[in-house]
Amino acid sequence: MNLTLLAAIGLVVAWILLLFVAAVPSGAIHLLYAGAVILFARRALIGAPRFRS
């Protein structure tokens, strides 16, 4: 796992917690979801880094 994937998972978890658990009524909370989608897409398009020795 690299930092992009960890950040995307963290953003999704934060979005779920704030939206469904804390019930924050702000629309700005969906920026967390948008950021997670962008990071997941980046991970899918670029892929995981390959370490060459």
Side-chain angles (χ1 to χ4, degrees):
M1 291 177 79
N2 64 356
L3 293 177
T4 303
L5 184 59
L6 288 175
I9 292 170
L11 286 174
V12 168
V13 169
W15 176 73
I16 289 171
L17 289 176
L18 289 173
L19 186 65
F20 296 112
V21 177
V24 177
S26 174
I29 196 171
H30 296 298
L31 292 175
L32 293 173
Y33 184 71
V37 169
I38 288 170
L39 290 176
F40 277 128
R42 180 180 183 270
R43 165 81 178 188
L45 293 174
I46 296 173
R50 291 184 177 84
F51 297 103
R52 297 182 185 136
S53 57

